[in-house]
Amino acid sequence: MPIEVTQPSDREVRVVRSFKAPRKLVWDAHAKPELVSKWMLGPPGWTMPVCEMDVRAGGAYRWRWRSDAEGKEFGFFGKFTEVTPHSKIVHEETFDPGDVGGSMSSDPAIITSEYVEANGVTTLTMTMLFSSKEARDGAVATGMTDGMEMGYERLDGMFKQAA
Amino acid sequence: MMVMNSSGYLDLTFAALADPTRRAILARLATGEASVQELSQPFAMSQPAISKHLKVLERAGLISVDIDAQRRPRRLELKRLEEAVDWIERYREIFEMNYQRLDALLEELQAKPAKHKRKKD
């Protein structure tokens, strides 16, 4: 089930992905810190030493990643503003650049995650609303590996979608 | 020739790619250059309507016109498209790495239902 990335507006990025699992399980994997820290790790070589989450409206969270090889850390923190169990979660997210470079976001991004189950498949739609277009572009450019090569396969894939 | 910085182009590129007809035109041009007449055939659209779409694609730098040739063929400008795809790819790659791990975790959790009792919703 391929991931789908679009930008509904110049301040948003939307990521849609389906999972072969019931909605409650997909929800748990996002809402229970002991499960989140098992998969939300980013590129190879990064670990998630800090994963604290108080999942309820007004509850705070703190995520921090570390690369021992590079001796670098960065993180996100913020609070949950809306929690509808197994269905919808809205959280505010502030980027803490740690020592990977980039600047602390001045206004938090607002992330809305919605979980819909059909025929045993759960589709997660995550919409990230940034405070400005610049913030969005900056978020995309941050923490990414250099020299990523664009393969023709991807281009093929894009054309297949278009056709 | 328009002079524009890269990110200005990127906005135009995404706006141009937001339309299914324009994406289909690009897919057609990926197989080789084509005239406006040739491009309008498969879409059941008038040539002026297709020309409008072509102008949007041209402004975004996604296609170019050979003005010297009689039939003024349009051709795909791969560089601009790659730039747009690359921008989205960065997001996709990070998320995909995470989600593949999540796939494995979900599978593992479902294989061990006793440890994670599920209540009926």
Side-chain angles (χ1 to χ4, degrees):
Chain A
M1 278 168 267
I3 191 168
E4 210 179 281
V5 183
T6 55
Q7 29 169 25
S9 76
D10 64 6
R11 286 172 54 206
E12 290 173 290
V13 175
R14 181 171 292 151
V15 176
V16 181
R17 175 68 146 71
S18 295
F19 302 92
K20 280 183 203 148
R23 190 169 66 147
K24 183 182 179 303
L25 211 55
V26 180
W27 169 275
D28 282 351
H30 284 84
K32 293 186 172 174
E34 69 273 21
L35 294 180
V36 171
S37 59
K38 281 188 178 169
W39 65 268
M40 210 198 276
L41 301 173
W46 287 82
T47 56
M48 194 176 188
V50 180
C51 182
E52 299 162 359
M53 303 166 73
D54 179 11
V55 185
R56 58 192 166 100
Y61 73 94
R62 204 161 72 91
W63 297 329
R64 208 161 170 86
W65 289 271
R66 174 169 179 79
S67 163
D68 284 326
E70 296 178 47
K72 284 181 176 174
E73 279 193 28
F74 73 97
F76 288 105
F77 62 90
K79 64 175 183 188
F80 300 99
T81 54
E82 187 184 334
V83 176
T84 309
H86 311 161
S87 166
K88 185 177 176 186
I89 193 161
V90 182
H91 71 273
E92 294 177 355
E93 187 171 275
T94 300
F95 175 61
D96 171 2
D99 37 26
V100 299
S103 55
M104 173 103 56
S105 44
S106 48
D107 296 304
I110 296 165
I111 322 284
T112 303
S113 304
E114 286 163 296
Y115 302 77
V116 176
E117 181 180 339
N119 305 317
V121 172
T122 301
T123 300
L124 167 62
T125 301
M126 186 166 39
T127 306
M128 296 168 262
L129 174 66
F130 294 91
S131 57
S132 67
K133 182 185 169 304
E134 291 69 32
R136 183 202 64 183
D137 293 346
V140 170
T142 300
M144 304 297 165
T145 47
D146 292 333
M148 201 150 7
E149 236 180 312
M150 231 280 310
Y152 280 109
E153 280 171 34
R154 289 186 201 138
L155 208 53
D156 286 343
M158 186 169 169
F159 284 135
K160 264 184 224 141
Q161 282 170 20
Chain B
M1 184 63 200
M2 290 177 81
V3 178
M4 203 180 291
N5 68 22
S6 181
S7 82
Y9 254 124
L10 208 49
D11 288 345
L12 286 176
T13 307
F14 280 117
L17 288 171
D19 179 88
T21 302
R22 290 197 286 270
R23 290 199 300 269
I25 290 172
L26 292 177
R28 164 65 187 82
L29 290 176
T31 67
E33 59 174 42
S35 68
V36 178
Q37 199 203 342
E38 286 163 340
L39 285 170
S40 58
Q41 276 163 8
F43 297 108
M45 274 181 133
S46 66
Q47 283 194 27
I50 286 291
S51 290
K52 261 189 197 166
H53 283 303
L54 293 175
K55 276 211 184 77
V56 176
L57 290 169
E58 212 178 311
R59 265 204 305 274
L62 285 163
I63 64 169
S64 60
V65 190
D66 184 353
I67 48 168
D68 294 331
Q70 174 116 42
R71 48 197 273 276
R72 294 168 62 89
R74 264 63 176 182
R75 73 168 70 93
L76 187 64
E77 291 295 324
L78 265 182
K79 190 178 163 292
R80 196 63 62 198
L81 192 56
E82 285 176 1
E83 238 177 62
V85 174
D86 195 40
W87 189 94
I88 274 181
E89 271 311 313
R90 291 170 174 176
Y91 244 85
R92 197 197 304 275
E93 288 203 7
I94 296 287
F95 276 95
E96 192 51 39
M97 274 187 267
N98 281 343
Y99 286 153
Q100 280 175 12
R101 265 190 300 262
L102 178 52
D103 283 337
L105 176 65
L106 290 169
E107 208 172 303
E108 190 190 314
L109 292 174
Q110 289 181 94
K112 293 188 287 185
K115 269 194 164 181
H116 296 268
K117 277 183 195 148
R118 291 183 53 219
K119 288 178 198 151
K120 277 266 179 235
D121 285 30

